[in-house]
Each structure stands twice: as C-alpha cells, then as structure tokens.
C-alpha cells in the first residue's frame, strides 16, 4: 500500500513529507511471521502504560468497568471524580500492560519504507530538498 507521512520539527522549522510503501504488522492467526511478532512485542514494551490503555480499555462508548465484563458495580474513573482531564483511570478500571504481557490483539505497527522525501525548511533561510530512492537496477549496478 502506498502511504504518505507528514511531520513538522518545530525547533528546526522543517517539514518532512515522506512517501513510500507501508506494511501493517498486526496480530493474526497462527500463521503470522515470528519476526513481525517480535517487532510488535518490542514496540509494545516501549510504550508507556497510559498509551497501552487505549488498546485494552474496552469498546469505545462503553463504560470502562461495566457489569458485562464482570467488573461488578460500575465505577467512575478517578479523573472524572477529581475533575482532572487527560488522566488515565486507575488499574482497577483499565487493564494496563507490562513488559511481560504480549501485545494486545488490536495493537499494530505501521512500517513505512520511504521512496520519496520532500524536506522543506521555513524561516529566514528557506530551502527545499527532494530525495527519491533509486533502485540498483535503475543505476545499472543491479548485477
């Protein structure tokens, strides 16, 4: 699949637009590539606990600790009771990951293999560079 990524580095006043082929490393049945699973596990372990809660927090729109999930009485997240915004609910409301837990089934890693980069530096000394991947066959060195 073709994909494009755009990012801005504010300290350098530089924008990068990166285009290339994207692959998705996701959990599949028993036929998944062991290397893909290893990469997923490594990324999962590096994520902060509050980030992994997005994958393990249940279906969107449903309470985090509903009776359907065997959670007993429905509880309000700590953040709501304290009036805080952006606070992750306690571990009693959301199952959080640790390094010994396999990546959640909904967790995927996107891999972008660049074939084109457009770098734009803004500010007082504006400049633009474009890079295109040239295969060895195109250069005449393909064997």
């Amino acid at each position: 699949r073709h994909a494009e990524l755009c990012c801005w580095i504010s300290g350098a006043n530089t924008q990068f637009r990166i285009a290339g082929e994207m692959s998705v490393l996701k959990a599949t049945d028993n036929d998944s590539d062991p290397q893909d699973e290893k990469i997923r596990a490594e990324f999962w372990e590096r994520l902060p606990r509050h980030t992994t809660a997005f994958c393990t927090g249940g279906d969107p729109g449903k309470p985090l600790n509903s009776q359907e999930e065997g959670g007993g009485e429905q509880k309000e997240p700590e953040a709501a009771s304290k009036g805080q915004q952006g606070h992750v609910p306690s571990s009693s409301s959301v199952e959080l990951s640790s390094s010994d837990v396999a990546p959640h089934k909904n967790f995927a890693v996107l891999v972008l293999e660049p074939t084109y980069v457009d770098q734009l530096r803004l500010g007082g000394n504006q400049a633009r560079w474009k890079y295109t991947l040239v295969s060895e066959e195109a250069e005449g060195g393909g064997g």
Side-chain angles (χ1 to χ4, degrees):
R1 295 179 196 167
H2 183 80
E4 288 192 29
L5 166 73
C6 184
C7 63
W8 172 256
I9 302 174
S10 60
N13 285 334
T14 302
Q15 177 190 48
F16 288 92
R17 295 190 65 168
I18 304 168
E21 294 302 309
M22 182 190 69
S23 57
V24 181
L25 309 182
K26 59 184 178 178
T28 57
D29 296 328
N30 296 332
D31 63 346
S32 60
D33 183 350
Q35 184 64 23
D36 289 356
E37 289 300 319
K38 181 180 177 186
I39 292 169
R40 285 181 66 245
E42 288 173 1
F43 273 90
W44 182 260
E45 289 176 10
R46 291 182 197 163
L47 292 173
R49 293 178 67 183
H50 65 273
T51 302
T52 60
F54 284 108
C55 290
T56 60
D59 294 331
K62 289 189 177 179
L64 292 175
N65 194 12
S66 70
Q67 293 177 349
E68 297 172 343
E69 298 171 352
E73 184 179 312
Q74 194 171 322
K75 297 179 182 176
E76 217 176 289
E78 287 178 9
S81 63
K82 293 181 180 177
Q84 299 172 348
Q85 293 182 352
H87 179 78
V88 175
S90 70
S91 59
S92 64
S93 300
V94 176
E95 177 188 334
L96 298 175
S97 74
S98 64
S99 61
D100 60 342
V101 174
H104 191 271
K105 66 181 180 180
N106 293 334
F107 177 71
V109 175
L110 302 178
V111 179
L112 181 63
E113 297 181 42
T115 56
Y116 175 79
V117 177
D118 183 355
Q119 178 183 355
L120 176 62
R121 184 178 62 211
L122 298 174
N125 191 13
Q126 294 185 4
R128 186 175 195 174
W129 299 270
K130 295 181 181 183
Y131 308 93
T132 302
L133 178 66
V134 179
S135 67
E136 288 183 16
E137 291 88 26
E139 290 182 336

